[in-house]
């Protein structure tokens, strides 16, 4: 690691610099040196060295003032930290091109100047410096700069802030007529929008500030307009997530509106000289935002994550609404899940039999994989249509519901207790459904095997097939645990696809399209709307199940193409397969129980891989964090008090459920 320059040598070097830009470059170079975690310590040492050398502190402070007066500040105020209007795809391509072919740094405005000093590799040390440490430097610089420099710089910054406020207000007003926002909330076109009112109020305030009459201005109406705009953005986001669906463009636009409103609040608080302590805090807040934004200026990951946050919430909200039905909190819910799981187990046993038959046809790899995929997909769709429950389909849905409760309770003291109760409910419901699938699948496979032996006087499976089925569930020699994890990933992806398709159905207003579609005229008028409602409400579930079937069925074919041993292991199908294998060649109860144990391990991996991935995505989409330690402690305490809660629901009032999706459109 290169040696770090002492702080007193850095400030001595200020005198050797010919320009103000060179002094700033020396300052940022010093902060960049060494470990990022020690950047705050380096800044504190520099502040201490400047405090002990008033002449150098005055030189550095005046250099900053001179630099600020010679460049345009407004581009940073209205651009850095605020999404462009170009849209997500255009912005991603622009950032990728800038990575490959960086733009020239001319230092004509503060955007270029900050980019000259700070880059994407500096994000680590920028984030480690606290506001308190920056405030020490800010206070010292204000104290050290000459009064004339402070006055002239302040006047220039004031004019730049006023111009930026007006520009931001115009941007917000222009968004009112965007088709995406009008689609979600048609009232924007019918009433006096708060966006327009904010622009008018801002224009009047800026004119008053320029005249130097800020002390006599009543700013209450401005803050009312800001609040109404924030409520309008929140209303649009809520309606889009719960009813109308979101596109990535709409999500990008709402994030831009939020960022613009927050920036307007910050800039106006800096302009309001009646609150000097607030002004200092806001100046530092703005400075840190600008620095962080510069480090993310060409980051594709950052803009994609922030732009698609609302879209992701819409997707996970649809999963959450589905997931509520998979969580048993009462004995009645428990029995309903068991009933649905048993029905699904019977169908899966028959699907496993069909899959075994397809393997005996000696078809080409692609034809065999396609038929197996179709068998799985149509079977899963049938399970959904009959309102049965496949246990491994639960985690991807229940994780989103769990994340919704994390967000809802993130300010409450009882969060851990409620989340622990929900986690126990989720775990108990999933395993109860697993046992329902396993018992029904094994029972059905045994009956089918006995019936086959009765009518054909031969075992259902050949010796080679028996050996394969028994070997396939072995943890290591059969790579069952790895293949179970692959199935868990596909389960997670199918849940994401279900949420995306449900969001798409809301976005394109599928119900209304189907009612007016010419092909729907063959359906009697009395049933046309009911059919359209059913397809709309089940669009994601049916599509997700079909795609999940193809993900499972085509995995081995992809492995064949790339010459890698890939496959899947699904707990319900594995339980049916061991039923067929052990009836065809029974070697005792102990052998069967050992196979059953391996199947349960496959189920454990299926469930927790898909649940973990889905929970991670759901928490990220809601910008929530889970305190694992406190939840784990709460789970342990509840299990200690009521051990039976792991196996059977207690006689407690069920937790409040999320509001079901309301597809009734309101203007």
């Amino acid at each position: 690691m290169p040696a770090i320059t002492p702080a007193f040598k850095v400030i001595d070097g200020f005198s050797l610099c010919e320009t103000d830009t060179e002094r700033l470059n020396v300052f940022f170079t010093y902060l960049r040196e060494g470990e990022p975690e020690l950047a705050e310590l380096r800044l504190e040492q520099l502040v201490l060295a400047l405090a002990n050398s008033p002449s150098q502190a005055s030189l550095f402070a005046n250099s900053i003032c001179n630099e600020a007066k010679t460049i345009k500040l407004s581009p940073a105020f209205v651009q850095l930290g605020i999404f462009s209007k170009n849209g997500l795809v255009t912005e991603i391509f622009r950032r990728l091109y800038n990575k490959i072919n960086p733009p020239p740094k001319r230092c004509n405005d503060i955007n270029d100047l900050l980019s000259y000093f700070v880059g994407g590799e500096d994000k680590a040390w920028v984030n480690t410096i606290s506001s308190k440490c920056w405030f020490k430097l800010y206070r010292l610089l204000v104290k050290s700069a000459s009064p004339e420099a402070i006055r002239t710089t302040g006047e220039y910054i004031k004019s730049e802030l006023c111009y930026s406020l007006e520009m931001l207000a115009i941007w917000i007003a222009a968004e009112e007529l965007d088709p995406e926002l009008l689609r979600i909330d048609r009232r924007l076109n019918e009433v006096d929008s708060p966006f327009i009112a904010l622009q008018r109020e801002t224009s009047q305030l800026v004119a008053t500030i320029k005249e130097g009459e800020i002390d006599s201005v009543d700013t209450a109406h401005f803050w009312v307009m800001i609040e109404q705009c924030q409520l309008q953005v929140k209303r649009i986001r809520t309606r889009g997530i719960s009813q109308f669906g979101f596109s990535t463009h709409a999500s990008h636009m709402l994030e831009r509106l939020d960022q613009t409103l927050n920036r307007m609040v910050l800039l106006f608080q800096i302009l309001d000289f009646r609150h000097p302590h607030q002004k200092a805090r806001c100046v530092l807040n703005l400075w840190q935002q600008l620095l962080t934004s510069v480090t993310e200026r060409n980051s594709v990951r950052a803009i994609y994550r922030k732009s698609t946050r609302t879209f992701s919430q819409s997707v996970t909200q649809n999963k959450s609404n589905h997931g509520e039905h998979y969580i048993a909190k009462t004995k009645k819910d428990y029995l309903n899940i068991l009933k649905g799981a048993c029905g699904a187990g019977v169908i899966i046993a028959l699907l496993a039999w069909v899959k075994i038959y397809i393997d005996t046809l000696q078809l080409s790899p692609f034809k065999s994989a396609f038929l197996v995929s179709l068998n799985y997909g149509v079977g899963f769709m049938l399970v959904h249509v009959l309102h049965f429950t496949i246990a491994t389909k639960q985690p991807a849905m229940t994780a989103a519901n769990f994340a919704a409760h994390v967000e809802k309770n993130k300010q409450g003291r009882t969060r851990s207790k409620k989340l622990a109760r929900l986690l126990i409910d989720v775990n108990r419901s999933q395993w109860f459904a697993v046992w329902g699938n396993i018992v029904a699948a094994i029972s059905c496979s045994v009956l089918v095997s006995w019936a086959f032996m009765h009518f054909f006087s031969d075992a259902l499976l050949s010796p080679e097939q028996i050996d394969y089925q028994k070997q396939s569930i072995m943890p290591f020699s059969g790579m069952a645990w790895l293949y179970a994890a692959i199935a868990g990933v596909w389960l997670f992806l199918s849940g994401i696809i279900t949420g995306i398709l449900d969001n798409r159905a809301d976005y394109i207003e599928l119900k209304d399209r189907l009612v007016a579609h010419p092909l729907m005229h063959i359906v009697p008028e009395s049933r046309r709307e009911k059919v359209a409602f059913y397809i709309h409400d089940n669009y994601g579930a049916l599509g997700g199940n079909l795609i999940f079937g193809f993900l499972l069925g085509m995995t081995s074919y992809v492995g064949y193409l790339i010459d890698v041993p890939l496959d899947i292991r699904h707990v319900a199908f594995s339980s049916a397969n061991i039923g067929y294998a052990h009836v065809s060649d029974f070697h005792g109860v102990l052998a069967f129980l050992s196979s059953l144990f391996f199947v349960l391990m496959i189920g454990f991996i299926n469930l927790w891989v898909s649940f973990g991935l889905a929970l991670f995505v759901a928490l990220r989409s809601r910008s929530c964090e889970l305190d694992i330690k406190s939840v784990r402690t709460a789970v342990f305490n509840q299990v200690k008090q009521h051990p039976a809660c792991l196996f059977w629901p207690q006689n407690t009032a069920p937790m409040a459920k999320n509001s079901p999706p309301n597809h009734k459109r309101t203007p």
Side-chain angles (χ1 to χ4, degrees), residues 476-513:
F476 302 110
S477 59
M479 293 195 291
W481 289 359
L482 173 62
Y483 296 158
I486 294 175
V489 174
W490 295 156
L491 285 160
F492 155 71
L493 287 179
S494 70
I496 293 291
I497 292 169
T498 297
I500 291 174
L501 293 177
D502 277 331
N503 176 76
R504 178 67 179 171
D506 290 337
Y507 178 75
I508 65 174
E509 299 179 298
L510 182 62
K511 170 183 64 66
D512 298 330
R513 290 171 181 254

Side-chain angles (χ1 to χ4, degrees), residues 571-598:
V571 58
F573 285 98
S574 296
S575 60
N577 289 333
I578 65 166
Y580 290 127
H582 280 279
V583 172
S584 299
D585 185 22
F586 188 67
H587 283 285
V589 176
L590 186 60
F592 174 77
L593 291 178
S594 64
S595 296
L596 182 61
F597 172 76
F598 292 142

Side-chain angles (χ1 to χ4, degrees), residues 10 34 47 103 128 187 198 222 271 273 306 320 326 384 430 484 489 511 514 552 572 618 648 667:
V10 173
V47 171
T128 59
R187 297 195 312 172
L198 176 63
F222 173 82
L271 277 172
F273 294 100
K306 294 176 182 177
S320 174
Y326 288 109
H384 175 76
Q430 290 177 0
V489 174
K511 170 183 64 66
L514 291 176
L552 294 182
W648 193 254

Side-chain angles (χ1 to χ4, degrees), residues 180-181 183-184 246-255 507:
E180 283 289 327
L181 300 186
R183 179 186 65 82
I184 297 173
F246 261 106
S247 65
T248 53
H249 172 69
S251 177
H252 179 87
M253 186 181 306
L254 283 181
E255 287 296 325
Y507 178 75

Side-chain angles (χ1 to χ4, degrees), residues 121-397:
E121 68 279 1
D122 297 316
K123 186 176 181 179
W125 70 260
V126 167
N127 291 337
T128 59
I129 300 179
S130 64
S131 300
K132 183 179 179 181
C133 193
W134 283 119
F135 179 73
K136 293 178 181 178
L137 177 64
Y138 172 81
R139 184 173 55 185
L140 177 65
L141 294 178
V142 171
K143 181 181 178 181
S144 303
S146 65
E148 179 63 17
I150 292 291
R151 186 188 64 79
T152 55
T153 305
E155 288 296 322
Y156 178 71
I157 293 176
K158 175 183 173 181
S159 65
E160 290 292 283
L161 288 173
C162 289
Y163 177 78
S164 301
L165 265 179
E166 284 192 287
M167 288 298 299
L168 293 173
I170 292 172
W171 286 5
I172 290 175
E175 302 289 5
E176 182 189 34
L177 296 179
D178 189 278
E180 283 289 327
L181 300 186
L182 290 174
R183 179 186 65 82
I184 297 173
D185 193 352
R186 297 184 181 93
R187 297 195 312 172
L188 289 173
N189 207 23
E190 300 171 0
V191 298
D192 187 13
S193 167
F195 299 154
I196 301 293
L198 176 63
Q199 191 276 326
R200 290 197 296 261
E201 183 66 23
T202 302
S203 180
Q204 295 174 5
L205 273 177
V206 167
T208 306
I209 292 172
K210 288 181 178 178
E211 295 172 0
E213 301 176 1
I214 183 66
D215 294 332
S216 61
V217 173
D218 182 10
T219 60
H221 193 247
F222 173 82
W223 293 116
V224 169
M225 289 297 99
I226 287 286
E227 183 179 3
Q228 288 186 5
C229 287
Q230 291 172 336
L231 290 175
Q232 181 65 54
V233 172
K234 183 178 180 181
R235 169 185 165 84
I236 294 172
R237 179 177 281 111
T238 302
R239 286 169 65 86
I241 290 175
S242 62
Q243 298 180 28
F244 292 90
F246 261 106
S247 65
T248 53
H249 172 69
S251 177
H252 179 87
M253 186 181 306
L254 283 181
E255 287 296 325
R256 171 182 159 87
L257 279 172
D258 266 339
Q259 293 168 349
T260 306
L261 286 169
N262 292 336
R263 181 60 55 83
M264 286 189 68
V265 169
L266 198 56
L267 297 185
F268 188 77
Q269 288 175 335
I270 295 174
L271 277 172
D272 192 351
F273 294 100
R274 293 173 295 185
H275 305 285
H277 296 292
Q278 172 184 275
K279 174 189 173 183
R281 177 179 57 82
C282 294
V283 167
L284 293 176
N285 191 0
L286 178 62
W287 169 248
Q288 288 184 290
Q289 286 186 24
L290 297 181
L291 273 185
T292 302
S293 300
V294 169
T295 63
E296 296 178 347
R297 195 173 187 181
N298 291 322
S299 172
V300 175
R301 180 181 179 184
I303 189 174
Y304 181 82
R305 183 179 67 249
K306 294 176 182 177
S307 293
T308 58
R309 182 166 52 190
T310 302
F311 175 76
S312 301
Q313 286 182 16
S314 180
V315 171
T316 54
Q317 178 64 35
N318 281 301
K319 291 167 60 182
S320 174
N321 293 330
H322 286 295
E324 186 71 23
H325 305 296
Y326 288 109
I327 302 176
K329 301 183 180 71
T330 65
K331 295 179 181 179
K332 182 180 179 181
D333 294 339
Y334 218 19
L335 295 176
N336 287 336
I337 284 183
L338 179 61
K339 188 192 305 181
C342 289
V346 172
I347 293 178
I348 286 176
L350 298 177
L351 296 178
W353 183 22
V354 173
K355 195 263 183 185
I356 291 172
Y357 173 73
I358 293 173
D359 290 339
T360 64
L361 298 179
Q362 301 297 318
L363 300 174
S364 66
F366 175 76
K367 290 181 179 179
S368 178
F370 180 79
L371 288 178
V372 169
S373 301
L374 200 60
N375 172 53
Y376 287 160
V378 173
F380 293 149
M381 292 172 69
L382 179 62
V383 168
H384 175 76
V385 170
L386 296 177
H387 303 290
F388 293 152
T389 302
I390 299 177
T392 49
K393 289 288 290 180
Q394 291 177 277
M397 304 299 179

